Amino acid sequence: MTTPLYGWYGDDFTGATDTLAVLAQAGLRSMLFMGVPSAEALAAAGPLDAVGIAGAARAMPPDAMRAEMSAVGRFFEKLAPPVLHYKVCSTFDSAPHVGNIACGIQTLHPFVNNRWVPIVGGQPSLGRYCAFSNLFAAAGTGGAVHRIDRHPTMRQHPVTPMGEADLRLHLARQGLDGITALHYPLYDTSAGASTGALDAALQDLLDNDGAPQTMAPTLLDLTTPDQLATVGRLLWQQSQQARLLAVGSSAVAQALVAHWAKPAPPAAPSLAMADGPVFAWAGSLSPLTAAQVQAATAYQRIAVDAQKLGSDPAYAQTLQDAICTQLRNGQHVLAYTGPNDDSAANITAAAQVAQNSADLIARVVQARAEHGAPLRRVGIAGGDTSSHAVQALQLWGLSYQTTLCPGVTISRAHSSDPSRQGLELMLKGGQMGGVNLFERLVGI
């Protein structure tokens, strides 16, 4: 295939679809693959401007991250896009022992040839702001903004609680040495900053941070949408000198799109009313997701005992039968594990709950297909659950269909199984969407 402009690896599936939406909405021919694609999958996708790979590194220990991401790096080294984007969560929640962002950077960087590694710290479109290297985040859509180490959810995340707001220190604790910063007054156009001063500041960093062959990570603030084009110019300019690894949320894609200033294509149509029953699963521990579940009055809601789901096959079968019965009766169904399951209190248990949930989701989808009534719309809340579920569904790719709300994408599934081809799939992280999200998924 021809060389694309952009490649990205998402460290979970929900975030990877957000980047897919940004690129597709800008008119780039984009496909998100479920792992390193085969030659057959690449051929089936057709000509592409942007190629993505959805992964699960956010929930992995470092050794597993290196194994997965080395294969990704080798693929993109051959494909050779000017920009390789390591897409991480907009809240940067990670730890030395799980989802280690420093480990991911160190694994991917040998497969590009630009020593500079920009790390974009904010995403204003999602209520994420980075100022003087400190990250702030809104609590839910439109909620109050908190410093990330005081955020009501992220400071007590069950797997990767955020105890440090300065992203330089946060990443240094994971093993990223020598990180520098370019703070936003240098590129705040409303303050009359010149691009020459920004370029000179970057060059000074590169000239003074060690041997020329060493990696040079630099954190970039991002506080307003007006700064995106300036950040994007810096990234694209450097990528034209040598292939570049850029790190951050979908703001990396937003910045480059803003710099390219491509004419916007016609807006994607809003999501139509579902023409059959919708099946949704909420596996997130987020209080916002819990509120979304409570507001989902269009659904038959089924509480799931996460511990019994993995330990009691009879319970899992009974649960599957109950969900399928409601769907067969034309009812929308929302199954949820709830925010207070003790089984998610540690990393190993949380990963197992996500896998068990994903297996049940796939069995429900398969059962409906075998009964001649394949589901056409499915929604999953929870990053780890989404990642495992897409793998369990044996999809080879996702393309963009529409955006349900900021940070929440409706994708079109691509599969060799005709019953799953064209499935409308919502994958969302715990902090994304308004309270009425599941109602909007139905089309209300």
Side-chain angles (χ1 to χ4, degrees), residues 271-288:
L271 188 65
M273 179 74 72
D275 60 2
V278 174
F279 175 42
W281 185 282
S284 167
L285 303 182
S286 161
L288 174 59

Side-chain angles (χ1 to χ4, degrees), residues 69 75 85 88 90 98 122 126 140 158 226 231-232 251 285 339 367 378 399:
M69 297 177 75
F75 169 77
H85 174 196
V88 302
S90 62
V98 62
L126 295 182
D226 291 343
V231 171
L285 303 182
V378 172
S399 56

Side-chain angles (χ1 to χ4, degrees), residues 31-34 40-41 44-46 275 365-366 369 373-378 390 393-401 411-425:
M31 180 69 72
L32 177 63
F33 293 97
M34 307 297 103
E40 293 76 14
D275 60 2
V365 171
Q366 182 64 27
L375 293 168
R376 304 317 310 153
R377 188 175 296 175
V378 172
V390 172
L393 289 169
Q394 298 181 324
L395 310 179
W396 62 257
L398 296 175
S399 56
Y400 175 72
Q401 180 168 324
S411 300
R412 182 175 185 269
H414 298 268
S415 173
S416 57
D417 184 334
S419 70
R420 298 175 190 182
Q421 177 67 22
L423 174 70
E424 296 172 335
L425 188 60

Side-chain angles (χ1 to χ4, degrees), residues 186-187 189 192-202 229-230 233-234 237:
L186 275 170
Y187 46 90
T189 55
S194 71
T195 58
L198 178 59
D199 293 345
L202 174 58
T230 302
R233 182 193 65 81
L234 209 60
Q237 177 179 286

Side-chain angles (χ1 to χ4, degrees), residues 131-332:
F132 298 101
S133 300
N134 282 263
L135 183 62
F136 299 80
T141 302
V145 175
H146 304 265
R147 203 174 71 186
I148 199 68
D149 58 339
R150 297 177 181 175
H151 190 280
T153 300
M154 302 315 303
R155 65 182 171 85
Q156 55 186 0
H157 190 283
V159 178
T160 51
M162 290 294 286
E164 176 54 65
D166 188 323
L167 293 179
R168 295 169 299 182
L169 299 178
H170 177 62
L171 296 175
R173 290 173 180 173
Q174 297 179 22
L176 188 63
D177 297 327
I179 184 169
T180 58
L182 290 173
H183 290 146
Y184 77 92
L186 275 170
Y187 46 90
D188 183 358
T189 55
S190 66
S194 71
T195 58
L198 178 59
D199 293 345
L202 174 58
Q203 193 59 53
D204 284 345
L205 288 179
L206 295 174
D207 289 343
N208 296 308
D209 75 341
Q213 68 273 17
T214 60
M215 182 171 62
T218 303
L219 183 66
L220 304 178
D221 287 349
L222 189 58
T223 60
T224 71
D226 291 343
Q227 296 162 359
L228 284 167
T230 302
V231 171
R233 182 193 65 81
L234 209 60
L235 270 56
W236 189 243
Q237 177 179 286
Q238 287 291 319
S239 76
Q240 299 309 288
Q241 299 176 27
R243 288 185 298 108
L244 179 77
L245 174 65
V247 183
S249 68
S250 295
V252 172
Q254 292 174 335
L256 284 161
V257 165
H259 169 64
W260 291 331
K262 290 178 174 291
S270 57
L271 188 65
M273 179 74 72
D275 60 2
V278 174
F279 175 42
W281 185 282
S284 167
L285 303 182
S286 161
L288 174 59
T289 299
Q292 291 166 340
V293 169
Q294 291 303 308
T297 57
Y299 295 77
Q300 292 293 319
R301 289 171 292 188
I302 299 177
V304 177
D305 186 320
Q307 291 180 323
K308 290 180 68 175
L309 179 61
S311 63
D312 186 346
Y315 173 79
Q317 185 61 54
T318 299
L319 179 61
Q320 177 182 329
D321 293 343
I323 292 170
C324 288
T325 296
Q326 296 287 358
L327 292 170
R328 185 170 60 250
N329 292 336
Q331 296 290 325
H332 306 307

Side-chain angles (χ1 to χ4, degrees), residues 347-416:
I347 296 167
T348 302
Q352 192 59 55
V353 168
Q355 183 64 68
N356 295 337
S357 300
D359 291 343
L360 184 61
I361 292 167
R363 291 200 301 272
V364 168
V365 171
Q366 182 64 27
R368 297 308 304 139
E370 290 174 353
H371 283 81
L375 293 168
R376 304 317 310 153
R377 188 175 296 175
V378 172
I380 305 171
D384 294 348
T385 306
S386 295
S387 298
H388 288 299
V390 172
Q391 293 168 332
L393 289 169
Q394 298 181 324
L395 310 179
W396 62 257
L398 296 175
S399 56
Y400 175 72
Q401 180 168 324
T402 192
T403 295
L404 196 60
C405 58
V408 182
T409 299
I410 302 294
S411 300
R412 182 175 185 269
H414 298 268
S415 173
S416 57

